[in-house]
Amino acid sequence: ERLVESGGGSVHTGGSLRLSCAASIPEYIGRRYCMGWFRQAPGKEREGVATIDWYGTTYYRDSVKGRFVISKDTAETTLYLQMNNLKPEDTAMYYCAAPPSSARVECDQWYLSPAEKDWGQGTQVTVSS
């Protein structure tokens, strides 16, 4: 796997978790124009949650705005998703992903589209009321 997620777990409503995504290939994250977090709940399609572009500009789906923060470390070796004020509807398998090449893409469209992506194996987040 090129991307490996960690940090998932079980929390109660209002709790917080910080997901991490590390790349097994050096400079993989630094050379990707976009990096993103996605999630898939049981019985639902996978959806884009947040994305960050080369310059650090971030985009979020409406349901997580103000609660989730996507970021990269300064060495650009790890992608993060800080999740605060979690709700039961946030329960899902969370994946990080990147475009399969270093070509420029429009990140705000890429993370919401079915465009080809390199995926990690996922980390489970469960929020109970």
Side-chain angles (χ1 to χ4, degrees):
E1 297 286 350
R2 294 182 179 179
L3 299 170
V4 180
E5 302 93 336
S6 62
S10 297
V11 297
H12 291 293
T13 298
S16 297
L17 286 171
R18 189 192 196 200
L19 305 184
S20 300
C21 172
S24 61
I25 300 173
E27 302 183 347
Y28 178 92
I29 292 176
R31 290 181 176 179
R32 287 300 182 276
Y33 199 81
C34 306
M35 291 294 301
W37 284 98
F38 302 78
R39 66 187 181 188
Q40 186 168 20
K44 295 186 177 181
E45 294 187 355
R46 188 150 42 185
E47 62 183 18
V49 174
T51 187
I52 184 168
D53 73 11
W54 182 277
Y55 303 101
T57 303
T58 57
Y59 303 90
Y60 300 91
R61 70 181 305 108
D62 288 346
S63 61
V64 307
K65 285 180 181 177
R67 301 188 298 123
F68 290 12
V69 178
I70 187 172
S71 64
K72 295 183 286 187
D73 68 343
T74 54
E76 296 190 320
T77 59
T78 307
L79 179 74
Y80 300 103
L81 185 68
Q82 177 66 44
M83 305 187 295
N84 300 320
N85 191 22
L86 282 160
K87 304 175 180 180
E89 51 264 43
D90 296 317
T91 294
M93 184 71 79
Y94 282 72
Y95 302 86
C96 68
S101 75
S102 58
R104 176 172 179 155
V105 296
E106 298 300 324
C107 299
D108 60 333
Q109 300 171 27
W110 167 79
Y111 88 114
L112 296 175
S113 76
E116 186 178 0
K117 300 175 177 67
D118 285 343
W119 296 99
Q121 85 290 349
T123 185
Q124 178 67 38
V125 171
T126 302
V127 185
S128 57
S129 57

